[in-house]
């Protein structure tokens, strides 16, 4: 299968930690946002395979030999080895190799459930001001003693745990699971410290919005899952590993990033399989994208997956009186609106920055979903949760449509 041009966008926006009050106040006169768009890069030497559960190691090794795998990787800290990344040598036609694997080991009698091509989604970030370098945060002091209430995974660039807004412990405690991690996992560096080294600290901002909208309202904890590097580059394999790692632990997953597949030919069946396995337990809330596109026609993912446990969030404007000019939309592929323009972020001195993007509309909906789950003692399914969000949302008629035409606060 040869792919046409594929595009990706991740809404990475400026967040200031350590700027002077004068700098922040000067910048806050204008909306600070970063436009990002770049080509999706397909890796022609790497395939991701999803095994059935409980396939023994000797069978996996035999399959690697059969298909002439030169090297392989597994999802770190995921104990049962369902996902593997297979690397092949020079001169291999990756599409032929994928077809061969599907024919030889797929189907109901085979050990391999699905095989996808790996790819990277990269961003080019532009901002008027760079962030200062910071020391690595001691995140251990922010880990809760015991998980209570709603658990939320944030798949992103990590978390800067020393942000002054995080005054109380809020990180998910994984010590009871007997794995290598303490509070989340960094799939970029394969360690337990999900430090947000992204130049604009996108994951920290998403987490900040969740924290400030839930603190003092409900018991909760956030599981950081770092899948993007310091430049905002993520691989599909790391995204899959992060999702596979998070799904058994939480009730909600926030993914404020994505990519475009305008040809709709990219095989993402492994992602869909993982969603389906938890369709009655976990709701995945995604940003709809920021290119003013009709996502019914130009596929944006993962927000565009038509699974019953995926919610796609578009951005409303500053007054929440209409859709934001930049937001993607769609009558079938986007679900709700939430404010996504000129959202206030307060630094340690009380100065405010204004940030915009569907990246920041999504965690607002995640926070509403968390409150609804807590009110019902975590005993409603994703389908029931979406019905509840429809009931409490404000009916709107904006310039562009979404599926339910409801605004959530």
């Amino acid at each position: 299968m040869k792919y046409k041009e594929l595009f990706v966008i991740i809404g990475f926006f400026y967040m200031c930690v350590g700027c002077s009050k004068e700098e922040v106040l000067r910048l806050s006169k204008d909306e600070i946002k970063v436009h990002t768009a770049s080509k999706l890069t397909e890796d022609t030497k790497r395939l991701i395979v999803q095994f059935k559960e409980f396939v023994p190691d000797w069978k996996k090794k035999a399959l690697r030999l059969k298909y002439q795998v030169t090297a392989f990787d597994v999802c770190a800290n995921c104990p049962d080895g369902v996902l593997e990344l297979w690397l092949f040598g020079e001169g291999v036609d990756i599409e032929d190799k994928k077809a061969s694997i599907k024919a030889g080991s797929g189907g109901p009698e085979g050990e391999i459930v699905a095989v996808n091509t790996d790819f990277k989604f990269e961003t080019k970030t532009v901002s008027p001001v760079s962030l200062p370098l910071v020391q690595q945060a001691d995140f251990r002091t922010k880990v809760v003693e015991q998980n209570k209430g709603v658990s939320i995974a944030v798949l992103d660039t990590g978390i800067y745990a020393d942000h002054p807004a995080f005054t109380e412990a809020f990180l998910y405690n994984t010590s009871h699971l007997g794995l290598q991690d303490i509070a989340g996992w960094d799939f970029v560096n394969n360690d337990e410290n999900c430090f947000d080294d992204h130049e604009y600290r996108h994951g920290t901002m998403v987490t900040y919005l969740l924290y400030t909208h839930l603190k003092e309202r409900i018991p909760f904890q956030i599981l950081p899952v770092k899948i993007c590097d310091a430049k905002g580059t993520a691989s599909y394999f790391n995204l899959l590993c992060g999702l596979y790692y998070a799904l058994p632990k939480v009730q909600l997953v926030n993914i404020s990033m994505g990519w475009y597949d305008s040809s709709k030919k990219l095989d993402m069946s492994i992602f869909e399989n993982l969603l389906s396995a938890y369709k009655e337990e976990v709701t995945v809330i995604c940003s709809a994208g920021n290119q003013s596109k009709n996502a019914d026609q130009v596929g944006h993912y993962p927000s565009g997956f038509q699974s019953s446990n995926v919610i796609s969030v578009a951005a409303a404007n500053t007054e929440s009186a209409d859709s934001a000019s930049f937001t993607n939309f769609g009558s079938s592929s986007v679900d709700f609106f939430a404010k996504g323009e000129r959202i206030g972020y307060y630094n340690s001195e009380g100065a405010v920055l204004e940030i915009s993007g569907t990246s920041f509309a999504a965690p607002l909906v995640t926070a509403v979903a968390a409150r609804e789950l807590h009110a019902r003692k975590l005993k409603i399914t994703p389908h029931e949760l979406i019905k509840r969000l429809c009931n409490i949302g404000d009916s709107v008629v904006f310039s562009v449509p979404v599926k339910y035409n409801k605004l959530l606060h």
Side-chain angles (χ1 to χ4, degrees):
M1 186 192 312
K2 301 300 182 185
Y3 293 25
K4 296 180 180 178
E5 198 169 30
L6 304 170
F7 290 91
V8 58
I9 181 166
I10 301 179
F12 285 149
F13 295 84
Y14 176 77
M15 167 183 157
C16 184
V17 176
C19 297
S20 69
K21 185 173 182 178
E22 290 73 19
E23 285 177 318
V24 175
L25 289 174
R26 173 175 58 79
L27 290 169
S28 66
K29 294 178 181 178
D30 299 314
E31 182 181 9
I32 298 172
K33 58 183 181 180
V34 176
H35 300 282
T36 59
S38 64
K39 292 181 181 180
L40 181 150
T41 304
E42 183 185 358
D43 197 311
T44 59
K45 297 180 183 178
R46 296 151 62 105
L47 291 175
I48 305 166
V49 297
Q50 179 186 8
F51 291 103
K52 286 183 176 180
E53 291 185 336
F54 312 118
V55 175
D57 288 341
W58 69 267
K59 280 192 175 182
K60 293 178 182 178
K61 182 177 181 180
L63 286 167
R64 293 185 213 112
L65 289 171
K66 176 180 179 179
Y67 293 111
Q68 300 175 310
V69 175
T70 58
F72 74 100
D73 197 3
V74 298
C75 292
N77 214 30
C78 296
D80 53 7
V82 168
L83 299 179
E84 286 190 358
L85 181 66
W86 286 3
L87 283 70
F88 299 89
E90 297 290 341
V92 172
D93 186 317
I94 204 70
E95 292 302 323
D96 286 348
K97 184 66 70 173
K98 183 165 64 173
S100 175
I101 294 170
K102 285 183 176 181
S105 298
E109 302 304 323
E111 293 87 1
I112 295 175
V113 174
V115 55
N116 292 175
T117 305
D118 194 22
F119 57 87
K120 291 183 179 179
F121 36 109
E122 302 175 349
T123 66
K124 181 180 180 182
T125 305
V126 179
S127 175
V129 176
S130 297
L131 282 177
L133 295 174
V134 295
Q135 296 296 317
Q136 189 133 319
D138 183 9
F139 67 96
R140 292 169 180 82
T141 61
K142 300 297 171 61
V143 180
V144 300
E145 291 186 7
Q146 183 178 359
N147 298 324
K148 297 179 181 178
V150 183
S151 297
I152 305 165
V154 176
L155 274 62
D156 216 293
T157 64
I159 290 179
Y160 178 56
D162 282 350
H163 187 286
F166 302 146
T167 58
E168 300 175 4
F170 70 103
L171 296 178
Y172 187 102
N173 190 328
T174 58
S175 62
H176 65 289
L177 300 176
L179 300 174
Q180 303 173 57
D181 51 332
I182 299 169
W185 194 258
D186 178 350
F187 285 94
V188 177
N189 301 298
N190 286 330
D191 61 39
E192 76 283 355
N193 190 346
C194 293
F195 176 68
D196 188 356
D197 59 355
H198 180 255
E199 55 188 338
Y200 302 103
R201 300 202 180 88
H202 182 265
T204 303
M205 176 56 72
V206 169
T207 303
Y208 167 90
L209 292 174
L210 285 169
Y211 181 92
T212 55
H213 281 77
L214 294 178
K215 181 185 176 184
E216 299 177 356
R217 291 190 178 190
I218 66 169
F220 73 98
Q221 49 277 324
I222 293 174
L223 178 72
V225 183
K226 182 177 173 63
I227 61 170
C228 299
D229 65 17
K231 296 298 183 183
T233 301
S235 71
Y236 180 49
F237 181 63
N238 280 351
L239 174 63
L240 291 175
C241 290
L243 185 64
Y244 181 58
Y245 165 82
L247 284 170
K249 301 176 179 66
V250 301
Q251 292 83 42
L252 298 171
V253 175
N254 190 100
I255 305 178
S256 286
M257 61 184 67
W259 62 90
Y260 289 96
D261 180 7
S262 57
S263 64
K264 298 187 178 180
K265 293 182 178 180
L266 188 60
D267 185 354
M268 295 174 282
S269 56
I270 297 178
F271 198 107
E272 293 179 291
N273 291 343
L274 297 179
L275 289 175
S276 179
Y278 288 86
K279 64 181 179 181
E280 299 298 320
E281 295 89 18
V282 183
T283 306
V284 180
I285 300 171
C286 306
S287 55
N290 305 306
Q291 287 193 342
S292 308
K293 294 183 181 295
N294 185 339
D296 294 347
Q297 301 173 359
V298 180
H300 178 271
Y301 300 93
S303 63
F305 284 118
Q306 297 299 301
S307 174
S308 61
N309 58 335
V310 171
I311 294 175
S312 176
V313 183
N317 67 9
T318 307
E319 298 81 16
S320 295
D322 202 349
S323 52
S325 60
F326 55 78
T327 191
N328 287 353
F329 59 93
S331 298
S332 61
S333 56
V334 183
D335 297 299
F336 296 105
F337 286 104
K339 182 177 178 179
E341 188 173 58
R342 295 186 180 273
I343 299 172
Y345 160 72
Y346 295 88
N347 81 337
S348 59
E349 296 178 316
V352 64
L353 291 173
E354 294 176 330
I355 58 173
S356 298
T358 59
S359 280
F360 307 123
L364 300 184
V365 172
T366 302
V368 175
R371 298 198 297 267
E372 290 300 312
L373 280 171
H374 175 68
R376 283 147 189 81
K377 300 180 180 179
L378 311 183
K379 293 183 178 179
I380 58 175
T381 66
H383 176 71
E384 292 167 336
L385 176 59
I386 292 172
K387 288 177 63 176
R388 179 60 189 160
L389 295 178
C390 286
N391 290 337
I392 66 173
D394 295 338
S395 296
V396 294
V397 180
F398 285 172
S399 298
V400 295
V402 297
K403 185 174 182 177
Y404 300 110
N405 285 320
K406 293 293 182 74
L407 174 70
L408 295 170
H409 302 279

